[in-house]
Every structure is written in structure tokens, then in C-alpha cells.
């Protein structure tokens, strides 16, 4: 939004510009603003400005003063030098700049503009496509109308300074990743906050994980998200893992440190925030998790942490559900987690909270359980597959059960990751803008 006011470059003073280097690049003419660019506001030529300008002309530069001031001021400044000038130039209007180029016998491409004000000097020069150099004003004490302009310049200068900082790189690793909405989320947060970062997708084969992380570190990627099927497999390649992620045995967010990538699990917080946001009461209830992969681990732990009295894990491969429950029971010194074979589903009592955490639904597949009798017993449901709807959600709705789609968890896990990587706090307005983008995509 401020880009049109950005100078091509910025210097502390007109007198610190390397005109020799610019001459070598092919520039042959310089258009100067006078007041606060070459001398203090209203001051005549000084010894410094005169010898500097003469030196430029000796080097072979054409020099012209383009000022919005009246003729006597501009003429008297030019008299000792005998260069060219335009008074009452009407900056930021383009007419004066084009006329100046013509008077100098140059082109827009071989002419530089040097000035101290963004909204007049720089903007006008940008409009004709000239290389612009913004300099700091010589006099710190300026007239009131200029002081007001300086206040307005501040956000532009801040935004310009941010744009100069190197773009930070972030991304998602997994397989497949092409369906992912994470770039939309992170790049929109960056845009809303004015952060200079880029988030991209990286599809990797399992055998590449270790070498890819080394490459990402070398390229200074500040953070990465991890998705199917690597939320567990990535752990051996990390320099450390947060206590909860380690106990749960799944990681979805990596942050670059001096030693390597450190892993955390923002899926857990994503699920917890969704449950609270949607006012799904877990405390004192039974919970059921469908699936036994990385997302299921986060879901089972989140239900436990929110106070579920029992957490059943149902999975196509029963042994995986057993292993998951055993590992969580051991880590958290409890017996809340219970593996349930698909044949045991009819024995569930009515009123449980259900989290769908298999990968079914991503490609439009049917849900793991298709019997109506299962859905009739659910009190509230949540999907983790990030789609507007899935077969699981549809089946819930058919039985009058409210089901939160996977966008909510996706959004909140991303919020946590973004805040961790960029040491910031996203506000409700920013989160809501991204939420509606996701829903309306
Ligand atoms: P994530 O880390 O996202 O949880 P994952 O570890 O690959 O991904 O786990 C995928 C889950 O979806 C598993 O519970 C898997 O069941 P299995 O353990 O039996 O493999 C489940 N899943 C994937 N495809 C399935 C299918 N066609 N039918 C039933 N379950 C399926």
C-alpha cells in the first residue's frame, strides 16, 4: 500500500551519496530538491554545497534544481553555480520532473532524483519512473506544515525499513502437501502484520527427511510445519522436543535454533482452542478418537488434558491404537486411554465427544465408521481433516450432531506456530480475517 512512496535507496545525507559509483552505472543527470536536501530551509548556497555541486558538474553530471519554492529563492540559490532550475515545480506532479529531464537533455533512465520528502520529492520521481534517493533532512527544526508531513511519513518509513529486511522463509513438509491451506494462512497473517516472510510447500520422501532438514537449516528457514505422514518420523532428526510433544510422541511445528530444529506440537493447542471456542464440554465426559496416527495422538491427549474421564481410541489397525494408548498411559501415568477395536464400537455409551483424526476425507473417502447408531450417540464432534466438510461431518449432521470442520484446528495450530516463530500475538481481527478466507476459498 505504501510502495509507491518507497525511494529506490536512502542515505543519511546528500553529501554521503557515492556519485562516482552512480556515474559508472550510467547516470548522467541529477535533479535536486534544495531546502533541507542541500542546505537548511531557506539558506543560501554554502561553501560545502557549492563545491559539492561544482564537483558533480566537473565529473560530467547535468544538475538541475526542482523546487516548489518561489523564483527569487531558487534563482538566488542557482546564481553562484549557473546550473538549471525550475521553480514552483508542483511536486509531486509529474510535469516538473519531465520538463527537468528535457532541460537536462537526458532520459528518465539516466537521471537521478535526490530529495528529503516522501510525499512530494520521492512520490513524484517514482511516478515518472526515476531512480530516487531519499536523504535525511538537514534541519531537524522544520516549519509546522512540514512537521505534520513528517508524522505522516513515519509509517511509510517503517514499512520501507521492514521491506528492506531479508524475507524470512517458512514452510510445510509432508507427503502429500499440495492440498494444504497453510500458505494461505501464514502469508495472510504476514500481509496483515506487515511481516516480510514467505511460506511454501515442500513434498518430501521419507528417506530425505534428515538431509532436507540440514538443507533448510543451511538456508536459514526460521520455522517449518510437519504434516502426514512425518509427525512422528521427524523426531529423531530434531535437536530437542517440548515436554508435551515428547510425551505425546508427535511434532507438527519446528523452530530453528543454533543447534538445529526444535519440535513442538501446536495441533494440541489447536484442538484445545477449538473445543473451547465451540463450547464443546469435555470435562467429565467420555471421548472417542478415530485414528491412531500423529493427529490422533494430539486429539487423544487434548481430550485427556481437557478433563475427559475416558478416551477410547478406535483405528483400522487395532495394534496401532493399542500402542498409542499404552504409550500415552505410560507417559502421563494414567489408565484413561483405552484402545477399542471396531467391533467394540456398538458398546459405547451415548454422550461422548468424538474427534475424527484419521486422514479419511481428504480425498472424499467414506468415514471409518458408517453405522448411524454410532453417530446417534455423539454429543459433539470435531473433524481434523482440513476440508469444508467430510463424510464424517455429513453423517454427524444427519443425526443432528454439531460437527466442527477441520479448518478450526488448522487455523489455531497455525496461529500458535506463527506466534512462536515471529514472537508476536495475533489479534482476534487478524484471526477472523483468515478464518473467513479459509471458509470462503
Ligand atoms: P497423521 O499423522 O496425520 O495422523 P498418519 O500417521 O499417517 O497421519 O495416520 C493416518 C490415520 O488414518 C491412521 O490412523 C490410519 O489408520 P491405520 O493406522 O490403520 O493406517 C488412518 N487411515 C488412513 N487411511 C485409512 C483407510 N483407508 N481406512 C481406515 N483408516 C485409514
Amino acid at each position: 500500500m505504501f510502495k509507491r512512496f518507497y525511494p529506490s535507496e536512502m542515505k543519511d545525507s546528500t553529501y554521503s551519496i557515492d556519485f562516482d559509483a552512480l556515474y559508472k552505472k550510467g547516470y548522467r543527470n541529477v535533479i535536486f530538491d534544495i531546502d533541507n536536501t542541500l542546505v537548511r530551509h531557506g539558506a543560501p548556497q554554502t561553501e560545502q554545497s557549492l563545491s559539492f555541486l561544482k564537483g558533480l558538474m566537473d565529473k560530467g553530471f547535468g544538475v538541475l534544481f526542482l523546487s516548489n519554492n518561489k523564483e527569487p529563492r531558487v534563482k538566488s540559490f542557482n546564481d553562484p553555480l549557473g546550473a538549471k532550475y525550475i521553480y514552483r515545480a508542483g511536486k509531486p506532479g509529474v510535469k516538473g520532473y519531465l520538463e527537468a529531464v528535457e532541460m537536462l537533455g537526458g532520459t528518465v533512465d539516466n537521471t537521478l532524483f535526490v530529495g528529503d520528502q516522501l510525499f512530494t520529492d520521492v512520490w513524484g520521481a517514482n511516478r515518472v519512473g526515476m531512480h530516487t534517493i531519499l536523504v535525511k533532512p538537514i534541519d531537524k527544526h522544520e516549519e509546522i506544515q512540514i512537521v505534520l508531513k513528517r508524522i505522516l511519513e513515519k509509517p511509510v518509513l517503517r514499512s520501507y525499513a521492514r521491506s528492506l529486511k531479508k524475507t524470512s522463509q517458512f514452510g510445510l513438509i509432508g507427503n502429500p502437501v499440495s492440498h494444504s491451506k497453510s500458505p494461505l494462512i501464514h502469508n495472510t497473517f504476514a500481509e496483515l502484520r506487515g511481516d516480510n516472510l514467505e511460506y511454501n510447500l515442500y513434498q518430501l520422501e521419507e528417506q530425505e527427511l534428515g538431509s532436507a532438514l540440514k538443507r533448510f537449516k543451511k538456508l536459514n528457514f526460521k520455522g517449518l510445519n510437519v504434516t502426514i505422514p512425518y509427525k512422528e518420523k521427524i523426531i529423531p532428526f530434531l535437536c530437542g522436543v517440548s515436554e508435551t510433544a515428547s510425551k505425546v510422541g508427535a511434532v507438527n511445528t519446528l523452530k530453528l535454533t543454533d543447534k538445529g530444529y526444535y519440535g513442538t506440537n501446536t495441533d494440541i493447542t489447536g484442538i484445545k482452542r477449538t473445543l473451547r471456542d465451540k463450547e464443546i464440554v469435555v470435562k467429565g465426559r467420555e471421548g472417542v478418537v478415530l485414528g491412531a496416527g500423529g493427529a490422533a495422538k494430539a486429539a487423544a491427549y487434548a481430550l485427556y488434558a481437557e478433563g475427559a474421564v475416558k478416551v477410547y481410541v478406535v483405528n483400522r489397525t487395532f495394534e496401532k491404537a493399542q500402542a498409542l494408548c499404552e504409550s500415552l498411559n505410560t507417559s502421563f501415568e494414567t489408565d484413561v486411554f483405552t484402545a477399542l477395536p471396531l467391533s467394540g464400537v456398538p458398546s459405547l455409551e451415548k454422550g461422548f465427544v468424538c474427534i475424527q483424526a484419521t486422514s479419511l476425507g481428504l480425498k472424499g473417502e467414506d468415514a471409518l465408521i458408517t453405522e448411524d447408531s454410532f453417530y446417534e450417540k455423539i454429543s459433539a464432534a470435531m473433524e481434523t481433516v482440513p476440508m469444508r466438510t467430510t463424510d464424517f461431518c455429513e453423517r454427524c449432521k444427519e443425526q443432528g450432531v454439531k460437527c466442527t470442520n477441520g479448518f478450526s484446528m488448522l487455523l489455531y495450530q497455525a496461529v500458535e506456530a506463527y506466534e512462536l516463530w515471529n514472537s508476536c500475538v495475533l489479534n482476534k481481527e487478524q484471526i477472523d480475517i483468515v478464518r473467513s478466507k479459509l471458509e470462503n476459498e
Side-chain angles (χ1 to χ4, degrees):
M1 151 177 157
F2 291 140
K3 273 195 183 142
R4 75 187 111 154
F5 303 119
Y6 290 176
S8 315
E9 52 179 303
M10 195 174 165
K11 295 283 173 203
D12 278 342
S13 153
T14 302
Y15 302 102
S16 62
I17 299 171
D18 185 351
F19 281 97
D20 288 327
L22 290 163
Y23 192 89
K24 277 186 199 149
K25 280 188 180 170
Y27 292 105
R28 293 294 179 266
N29 303 290
V30 193
I31 303 175
F32 285 104
D33 168 54
I34 299 174
D35 294 309
N36 257 337
T37 296
L38 284 161
V39 292
R40 285 173 191 279
H41 193 88
Q45 283 279 9
T46 59
E47 256 182 56
Q48 183 193 27
S49 64
L50 199 56
S51 81
F52 163 76
L53 292 163
K54 274 187 177 158
L56 273 188
M57 289 167 83
D58 289 343
K59 277 188 184 64
F61 277 107
V63 169
L64 184 145
F65 304 113
L66 188 73
S67 171
N68 281 353
N69 224 319
K70 293 178 193 143
E71 180 161 34
R73 158 70 179 145
V74 185
K75 184 177 178 306
S76 69
F77 186 84
N78 181 54
D79 277 347
L81 187 74
K84 298 186 165 71
Y85 68 91
I86 296 175
Y87 62 96
R88 285 194 193 279
K91 293 180 283 185
V94 296
K95 202 166 149 256
Y97 294 83
L98 294 174
E99 209 180 311
V101 172
E102 205 179 318
M103 282 169 71
L104 287 162
T107 63
V108 164
D109 289 335
N110 74 2
T111 304
L112 301 161
F113 187 90
V114 182
D116 74 307
Q117 288 197 43
L118 284 178
F119 300 132
T120 49
D121 299 326
V122 172
W123 189 23
N126 282 347
R127 287 167 84 185
V128 295
M130 213 173 265
H131 187 92
T132 56
I133 304 177
L134 178 74
V135 293
K136 289 188 181 159
I138 293 175
D139 202 340
K140 302 288 169 239
H141 304 286
E142 298 176 295
E143 290 172 13
I144 184 66
Q145 70 268 27
I146 300 192
V147 170
L148 293 174
K149 273 196 207 166
R150 298 289 180 209
I151 294 170
L152 296 173
E153 283 183 354
K154 275 193 176 153
V156 183
L157 288 170
R158 274 200 298 271
S159 162
Y160 173 64
R162 274 198 301 269
S163 79
L164 293 180
K165 281 194 213 149
K166 234 176 144 268
T167 307
S168 303
Q169 296 290 336
F170 296 88
L172 172 71
I173 58 177
N175 193 354
V177 288
S178 56
H179 63 278
S180 172
K181 304 261 190 274
S182 292
L184 171 89
I185 300 176
H186 287 278
N187 292 328
T188 306
F189 281 141
E191 215 173 280
L192 291 170
R193 281 178 36 83
D195 292 334
N196 190 11
L197 66 82
E198 219 175 81
Y199 188 106
N200 291 301
L201 301 173
Y202 301 93
Q203 180 161 318
L204 299 179
E205 298 303 323
E206 189 177 340
Q207 64 273 18
E208 290 181 288
L209 277 181
S211 60
L213 276 198
K214 278 190 194 146
R215 240 183 7 252
F216 283 124
K217 184 171 185 286
K218 217 168 180 185
L219 293 168
N220 202 31
F221 272 60
K222 301 265 162 55
L224 292 161
N225 281 131
V226 185
T227 189
I228 44 168
Y230 303 135
K231 288 181 182 178
E232 297 149 77
K233 292 178 181 130
I234 196 78
I235 293 176
F237 302 104
L238 305 178
C239 67
V241 173
S242 74
E243 196 187 336
T244 309
S246 160
K247 281 183 172 174
V248 170
V251 154
N252 80 317
T253 300
L254 314 183
K255 187 177 161 83
L256 182 64
T257 70
D258 291 343
K259 292 181 194 136
Y261 286 100
Y262 181 84
T264 59
N265 192 318
T266 67
D267 280 342
I268 295 171
T269 0
I271 294 170
K272 282 185 181 179
R273 276 179 83 160
T274 302
L275 292 171
R276 287 181 205 159
D277 204 34
K278 303 291 169 185
E279 295 176 344
I280 297 174
V281 180
V282 175
K283 203 172 169 56
R285 288 221 164 99
E286 293 189 335
V288 173
V289 174
L290 305 183
K297 279 184 175 173
Y301 170 73
L303 287 172
Y304 162 74
E306 290 295 292
V309 289
K310 201 91 200 155
V311 178
Y312 293 103
V313 178
V314 183
N315 192 43
R316 171 179 65 177
T317 315
F318 180 59
E319 295 73 28
K320 270 179 79 179
Q322 278 182 310
L324 188 158
C325 291
E326 214 177 288
S327 141
L328 289 180
N329 281 331
T330 308
S331 294
F332 296 98
E333 296 174 11
T334 175
D335 57 2
V336 162
F337 302 99
T338 306
L340 193 67
L342 278 162
S343 59
V345 167
S347 66
L348 286 166
E349 302 228 347
K350 197 175 163 69
F352 55 84
V353 174
C354 186
I355 302 183
Q356 198 308 109
T358 71
S359 51
L360 294 169
L362 208 53
K363 296 182 195 136
E365 307 96 319
D366 281 352
L368 181 67
I369 299 170
T370 50
E371 287 80 20
D372 288 349
S373 54
F374 171 73
Y375 294 89
E376 282 166 7
K377 292 186 197 164
I378 301 177
S379 67
M382 181 184 152
E383 174 64 90
T384 65
V385 170
M387 306 281 284
R388 197 166 295 112
T389 191
T390 57
D391 185 53
F392 174 80
C393 281
E394 293 303 312
R395 287 177 189 279
C396 286
K397 276 182 213 152
E398 275 168 27
Q399 299 306 321
V401 176
K402 233 175 95 181
C403 180
T404 302
N405 73 16
F407 286 151
S408 189
M409 172 189 166
L410 175 75
L411 176 63
Y412 282 130
Q413 63 77 28
V415 167
E416 293 277 332
Y418 194 99
E419 292 180 342
L420 175 78
W421 290 332
N422 299 293
S423 306
C424 66
V425 177
L426 294 163
N427 62 39
K428 189 177 175 311
E429 195 189 342
Q430 290 161 336
I431 296 172
D432 284 345
I433 289 172
V434 175
R435 189 198 309 276
S436 82
K437 261 198 170 182
L438 273 176
E439 294 285 351
N440 297 317
E441 248 248 314

